[in-house]
Structures are given as structure tokens and as C-alpha cells.
Amino acid sequence: MTALDLSSPVAVVGTGTMGQGIAQVALVAGHPVRLYDTLPGRAGEAADAIGARLDRLVEKERLSDADRDAARARLLPAEDLPELADCALVVEAVLERLDVKQDLFRALEGIVADDCLLATNTSSLSVTAIGGALRNPGRFVGLHFFNPAPLLPLVEVVSGFATDVSSATRAYETARAWGKTPVACADTPGFIVNRIARPFYAEAFAVHEAQVADPATIDAVLRESGGFRMGAFELTDLIGQDVNESVTQSVWQSFFQDVRFTPSLAQRRLVESGRLGRKTGHGWYDHGEGAERPEPDTADKRQPPAYVVAEGDMGPASELLELIREAGIPVRDESDDDQGACLLLPSGGRLVLADGQTAVEYRDFVYFDLALDYRTAGRIALSASQDTSPQVLAEAIGLFQALGKRVSVIGDVPGMIVARTVARIIDLAHDAVAKGVATEEDIDTAMRLGVNYPLGPFEWSRRLGRSWAYVLLDDLHRRDPSGRYAPSLALYRHAHASDSREGTS
């Protein structure tokens, strides 16, 4: 099954920001496009707005005058649904209400030809449930674009329970012909991106609720150590706290209140107070005119240790040994399997990569967080207990400062910030593959393109090692037996499988 022919008209129902964006994508690709909205005059206004955006593309030399004029000639507002009768594809981008979408597609089914592909751009509703209202749900598919649709490349092509393979394939190939990067997935709550991205927000909020770090510090660690483009607090302020919480609530309810997707009470209070983020001038941060952005907690300058002793295999943090040597600090190598992998400091303290345990369990342990790349990371988070020797903590701070890093000291929280977030993302990704939601490749693509993650979950998994995420989450689960951190069966199997029998992600 191939993509729709460019001569085939495409209709977009709903002319808000997303509807206009989808229409522009189809139009620039070369299709005749029909715009329809239930509100009189809205389709014409949307056509004018799209025309203005085409003008800006010409000004930026991304579109020629001739192509702009041809596109405008192919764009037609429709006053009534029957004007969409000859369309080969109808994409809906209306109100996120099941009854509204079902009524629309019932009406369309009596108007368009039997081979017309029907698609919803829903981000939170079940594609299966919407299509269940149709006489022929086999031709119904989800085409989930990301906002702004003309700029963001990802499109989730969602197959409902009754969607024909041929319909999903045609939708997939059409999205690719439009210059997008499609990924195929089954109809599951949140699809790929909104399902697997939940821990990015949830774990940041949980660390904040535990009173061990403030939003500015957590965001800084996620950006400067984890390599994420934005932290969870600033990103949800941009998205809108109400919008982000609504997606979380939808996924949680759709999974029968699975504890792994539990919403944040702190975010609920933010929404209840009307502090929805940038659009209201206040969210986690104050966005009012002249408001100063709070600075992340950063440790004062400390002296580096005279030397460190490397014990065991540092695993994902092995690169630190080279950086320490380059900083002129001697590294002594010793093997001590009983103590595990750590850096022994002159004061007798141990510096350990976050592993899901807490510093209070051990004498003079200081944990350091996971980094995407320890060489390029601008900040490292450290975690210590109230019983940790001040001298040990000072040496740990001084060590990372000698490597050119800013240091944030947070409270004694298992898994810290980046490590627990990445581990949970990896776990949900393995669980999704095991349940047939999508392939490893499509999940990695979706998370990199849909939410700008520095690595896809399976890319992280291959880099960190087969058992890393499982061990960390298992340790976390022992300290928080609510089930939130219980590793999935899929991750258990992956962690215990030999590399000769499975892939190495």
C-alpha cells in the first residue's frame, strides 16, 4: 500500500492551531486541501492564516513564489461537510471529547467514499473507541502530529483494535511522503511519547515533593547533567500545567490507575490555584514582567582531594577516572569486590554512582547522579545524608569542581534525579515493546523527535548496560514498595538474558 496520490484531496476538520498546521503540511506536500469547521466563517479565516504563513515561508526563502501561489490555489474552505465527499483522507482535529469525535465520523462515513481514509489527531482518547462508532472501523487510524505540525517531524501512526493493516500502512506512507518521520504504534494510552515520557515529569515532581531539591535545581541537573533540552518544571510551564496534568490523568485513568502513572499532588495544587505556567504568568516559576528566574543551588568552592582510590568497575561513570587524571589528581586503582564500585576519598568516604539506595544506609557515602556525558556535563548533583561527614562531602564537592563542574547538593533521595528518571523511562520502553505497542527503533525515534530526548530509551539502555536500570529500580522498589518503581517483567527478562540470546540494548 502506497501513499496517497498528490492529486487526491485531503480534508482537515477543525481549524485551530493543530488543524491549520496539519492542513499546511498536506498543502505544501502538494495536495488539494479542504478546510471545514462547524463555526461559520472559521474555515475562511483559517485559510487566510495559512496563506499568511506561506507568505512568511517565501520571505524566509523556504518556498518559491510560484509554489506559494499554487498552494493557495489548492486551499479551499468548505461551508458544509458534503463538500468533503471526494476527499481521499479526512483528518480530524476537533475538541478532545469522545462523543464529539464519534458524531463527526459517523456523519463523514455517510458522505465520503468507501475507500476514504479517516484519521484522528487525538492525543489522549482511544483510537479504538472513536473508530468503534463506525460501520467500517478498518479504515480508521490515528495520525498524531506534534505541535507545531509544520515544524516538528514526528507523526505517531496509531492502529486501533479494528484498523486494517492496509489503512495503517497507507497513513504511514502518506505521512512519510509529506516529509514527516512516522512511527507505528498500537492503540495504547498515551501512544508512544505520552506514555513513555510520564516519568520525566513524575520523578522531578516526586523529588521536589520529597523536599530534597527545589525546581530550579532539579531543572538544572536534568539539563546540565542529563542532557535534556529543558527541565521538567520549565517544560510543563511552557506546555501549560493544566494540559500536562490532563495528559497524565488520562494515561493514569486509562491504565486503571496504575501506580506507575500516578499524577503529582503538587501539580494538582498548582492547577487548582490557576498557576498554569507562561500563559497565566505564573506556574512553577514566576513569568511576570521583570521577574527574576531563581538560581539553582550551587555549592561554594571547595578544595579537591589529594588523590582518589578507584575500587571496582565504575560502569557508566568509568569516564570519570580519565577526567580526574587529566585534572592532575592521582587515581589509585584497587580491586575490592566486597565494597562494590566506588571512589574512595582520603577522608575515608566513598563516592558512589546513584544506584537506588540511600546514603543514610552506609557510613560516609556520597552519591553522584548519572550524566549523559561526564566530560561535557556542566553540573553534577551529589546526595548525602545528615550523618555524612562534612569533610567527606567537601572532598566530593571539590573533586567535581576540579573537573570543571558546578555542583548541586541535594537531599538523601534514592536514585537521585537523572538516574531514576532514565531508569523508569527505560523500564516503560521495554514494557511497551513486550506488549506490542511499538518497536525499539520506533520508540527511540519517537522520544528523540517528539520530546527532544538526547537519547532514546534503548540507546540509553545500551550505553548503561543490560542490568543497570533493573538493578536501580529494584533497589528503589525495596525502599518504596508502593509498586511505582517495581521493574516490569520485560525489564527483568532483559536484565537476566544473555547477550547471545537477545540484543544488547
Side-chain angles (χ1 to χ4, degrees), residues 1-3 165-167 169-171 173:
M1 185 65 67
T2 59
V165 173
S166 59
S167 298
T169 302
R170 172 159 283 191
E173 294 300 333

mmCIF file with all atom_site columns, all heavy atoms in Angstrom, residues 1-3 165-167 169-171 173:
data_model
loop_
_atom_site.group_PDB
_atom_site.id
_atom_site.type_symbol
_atom_site.label_atom_id
_atom_site.label_alt_id
_atom_site.label_comp_id
_atom_site.label_asym_id
_atom_site.label_entity_id
_atom_site.label_seq_id
_atom_site.pdbx_PDB_ins_code
_atom_site.Cartn_x
_atom_site.Cartn_y
_atom_site.Cartn_z
_atom_site.occupancy
_atom_site.B_iso_or_equiv
_atom_site.pdbx_formal_charge
_atom_site.auth_seq_id
_atom_site.auth_comp_id
_atom_site.auth_asym_id
_atom_site.auth_atom_id
_atom_site.pdbx_PDB_model_num
ATOM 1  N N   . MET A 1 1   ? 0.851  -1.190 0.000  1.00 0.00 ? 1   MET A N   1
ATOM 2  C CA  . MET A 1 1   ? 0.000  0.000  0.000  1.00 0.00 ? 1   MET A CA  1
ATOM 3  C C   . MET A 1 1   ? 0.892  1.246  0.000  1.00 0.00 ? 1   MET A C   1
ATOM 4  O O   . MET A 1 1   ? 1.779  1.372  0.825  1.00 0.00 ? 1   MET A O   1
ATOM 5  C CB  . MET A 1 1   ? -0.918 -0.004 1.223  1.00 0.00 ? 1   MET A CB  1
ATOM 6  C CG  . MET A 1 1   ? -1.926 1.127  1.251  1.00 0.00 ? 1   MET A CG  1
ATOM 7  S SD  . MET A 1 1   ? -3.137 1.057  -0.085 1.00 0.00 ? 1   MET A SD  1
ATOM 8  C CE  . MET A 1 1   ? -4.034 -0.418 0.361  1.00 0.00 ? 1   MET A CE  1
ATOM 9  N N   . THR A 1 2   ? 0.653  2.124  -0.958 1.00 0.00 ? 2   THR A N   1
ATOM 10 C CA  . THR A 1 2   ? 1.495  3.310  -1.102 1.00 0.00 ? 2   THR A CA  1
ATOM 11 C C   . THR A 1 2   ? 0.787  4.554  -0.576 1.00 0.00 ? 2   THR A C   1
ATOM 12 O O   . THR A 1 2   ? -0.378 4.527  -0.196 1.00 0.00 ? 2   THR A O   1
ATOM 13 C CB  . THR A 1 2   ? 1.870  3.522  -2.577 1.00 0.00 ? 2   THR A CB  1
ATOM 14 O OG1 . THR A 1 2   ? 0.664  3.666  -3.335 1.00 0.00 ? 2   THR A OG1 1
ATOM 15 C CG2 . THR A 1 2   ? 2.664  2.348  -3.101 1.00 0.00 ? 2   THR A CG2 1
ATOM 16 N N   . ALA A 1 3   ? 1.527  5.658  -0.557 1.00 0.00 ? 3   ALA A N   1
ATOM 17 C CA  . ALA A 1 3   ? 0.978  6.927  -0.095 1.00 0.00 ? 3   ALA A CA  1
ATOM 18 C C   . ALA A 1 3   ? -0.119 7.419  -1.030 1.00 0.00 ? 3   ALA A C   1
ATOM 19 O O   . ALA A 1 3   ? -0.202 7.017  -2.200 1.00 0.00 ? 3   ALA A O   1
ATOM 20 C CB  . ALA A 1 3   ? 2.098  7.963  -0.012 1.00 0.00 ? 3   ALA A CB  1
ATOM 21 N N   . VAL A 1 165 ? -4.525 -3.354 8.415  1.00 0.00 ? 165 VAL A N   1
ATOM 22 C CA  . VAL A 1 165 ? -3.103 -3.130 8.170  1.00 0.00 ? 165 VAL A CA  1
ATOM 23 C C   . VAL A 1 165 ? -2.908 -2.224 6.956  1.00 0.00 ? 165 VAL A C   1
ATOM 24 O O   . VAL A 1 165 ? -2.048 -1.339 6.951  1.00 0.00 ? 165 VAL A O   1
ATOM 25 C CB  . VAL A 1 165 ? -2.367 -4.468 7.966  1.00 0.00 ? 165 VAL A CB  1
ATOM 26 C CG1 . VAL A 1 165 ? -0.917 -4.230 7.547  1.00 0.00 ? 165 VAL A CG1 1
ATOM 27 C CG2 . VAL A 1 165 ? -2.405 -5.297 9.245  1.00 0.00 ? 165 VAL A CG2 1
ATOM 28 N N   . SER A 1 166 ? -3.722 -2.414 5.937  1.00 0.00 ? 166 SER A N   1
ATOM 29 C CA  . SER A 1 166 ? -3.588 -1.597 4.726  1.00 0.00 ? 166 SER A CA  1
ATOM 30 C C   . SER A 1 166 ? -3.862 -0.126 5.001  1.00 0.00 ? 166 SER A C   1
ATOM 31 O O   . SER A 1 166 ? -3.203 0.760  4.439  1.00 0.00 ? 166 SER A O   1
ATOM 32 C CB  . SER A 1 166 ? -4.538 -2.113 3.632  1.00 0.00 ? 166 SER A CB  1
ATOM 33 O OG  . SER A 1 166 ? -5.889 -2.063 4.089  1.00 0.00 ? 166 SER A OG  1
ATOM 34 N N   . SER A 1 167 ? -4.801 0.168  5.896  1.00 0.00 ? 167 SER A N   1
ATOM 35 C CA  . SER A 1 167 ? -5.105 1.557  6.238  1.00 0.00 ? 167 SER A CA  1
ATOM 36 C C   . SER A 1 167 ? -3.954 2.185  7.006  1.00 0.00 ? 167 SER A C   1
ATOM 37 O O   . SER A 1 167 ? -3.544 3.324  6.724  1.00 0.00 ? 167 SER A O   1
ATOM 38 C CB  . SER A 1 167 ? -6.380 1.624  7.079  1.00 0.00 ? 167 SER A CB  1
ATOM 39 O OG  . SER A 1 167 ? -7.491 1.125  6.365  1.00 0.00 ? 167 SER A OG  1
ATOM 40 N N   . THR A 1 169 ? -0.845 1.270  6.931  1.00 0.00 ? 169 THR A N   1
ATOM 41 C CA  . THR A 1 169 ? 0.294  1.396  6.022  1.00 0.00 ? 169 THR A CA  1
ATOM 42 C C   . THR A 1 169 ? 0.143  2.602  5.114  1.00 0.00 ? 169 THR A C   1
ATOM 43 O O   . THR A 1 169 ? 1.099  3.354  4.889  1.00 0.00 ? 169 THR A O   1
ATOM 44 C CB  . THR A 1 169 ? 0.453  0.118  5.176  1.00 0.00 ? 169 THR A CB  1
ATOM 45 O OG1 . THR A 1 169 ? 0.612  -0.996 6.051  1.00 0.00 ? 169 THR A OG1 1
ATOM 46 C CG2 . THR A 1 169 ? 1.658  0.224  4.255  1.00 0.00 ? 169 THR A CG2 1
ATOM 47 N N   . ARG A 1 170 ? -1.062 2.808  4.588  1.00 0.00 ? 170 ARG A N   1
ATOM 48 C CA  . ARG A 1 170 ? -1.289 3.969  3.716  1.00 0.00 ? 170 ARG A CA  1
ATOM 49 C C   . ARG A 1 170 ? -1.098 5.269  4.487  1.00 0.00 ? 170 ARG A C   1
ATOM 50 O O   . ARG A 1 170 ? -0.500 6.231  3.979  1.00 0.00 ? 170 ARG A O   1
ATOM 51 C CB  . ARG A 1 170 ? -2.684 3.914  3.101  1.00 0.00 ? 170 ARG A CB  1
ATOM 52 C CG  . ARG A 1 170 ? -3.061 5.182  2.349  1.00 0.00 ? 170 ARG A CG  1
ATOM 53 C CD  . ARG A 1 170 ? -4.160 4.957  1.347  1.00 0.00 ? 170 ARG A CD  1
ATOM 54 N NE  . ARG A 1 170 ? -3.630 4.298  0.153  1.00 0.00 ? 170 ARG A NE  1
ATOM 55 C CZ  . ARG A 1 170 ? -4.312 4.166  -0.989 1.00 0.00 ? 170 ARG A CZ  1
ATOM 56 N NH1 . ARG A 1 170 ? -5.538 4.633  -1.078 1.00 0.00 ? 170 ARG A NH1 1
ATOM 57 N NH2 . ARG A 1 170 ? -3.774 3.577  -2.019 1.00 0.00 ? 170 ARG A NH2 1
ATOM 58 N N   . ALA A 1 171 ? -1.586 5.321  5.712  1.00 0.00 ? 171 ALA A N   1
ATOM 59 C CA  . ALA A 1 171 ? -1.408 6.524  6.537  1.00 0.00 ? 171 ALA A CA  1
ATOM 60 C C   . ALA A 1 171 ? 0.078  6.754  6.821  1.00 0.00 ? 171 ALA A C   1
ATOM 61 O O   . ALA A 1 171 ? 0.563  7.891  6.756  1.00 0.00 ? 171 ALA A O   1
ATOM 62 C CB  . ALA A 1 171 ? -2.176 6.374  7.842  1.00 0.00 ? 171 ALA A CB  1
ATOM 63 N N   . GLU A 1 173 ? 2.735  5.727  5.045  1.00 0.00 ? 173 GLU A N   1
ATOM 64 C CA  . GLU A 1 173 ? 3.447  6.133  3.830  1.00 0.00 ? 173 GLU A CA  1
ATOM 65 C C   . GLU A 1 173 ? 3.070  7.543  3.404  1.00 0.00 ? 173 GLU A C   1
ATOM 66 O O   . GLU A 1 173 ? 3.904  8.279  2.862  1.00 0.00 ? 173 GLU A O   1
ATOM 67 C CB  . GLU A 1 173 ? 3.170  5.138  2.699  1.00 0.00 ? 173 GLU A CB  1
ATOM 68 C CG  . GLU A 1 173 ? 3.735  3.749  2.946  1.00 0.00 ? 173 GLU A CG  1
ATOM 69 C CD  . GLU A 1 173 ? 5.251  3.752  3.118  1.00 0.00 ? 173 GLU A CD  1
ATOM 70 O OE1 . GLU A 1 173 ? 5.926  4.649  2.583  1.00 0.00 ? 173 GLU A OE1 1
ATOM 71 O OE2 . GLU A 1 173 ? 5.769  2.852  3.808  1.00 0.00 ? 173 GLU A OE2 1
#
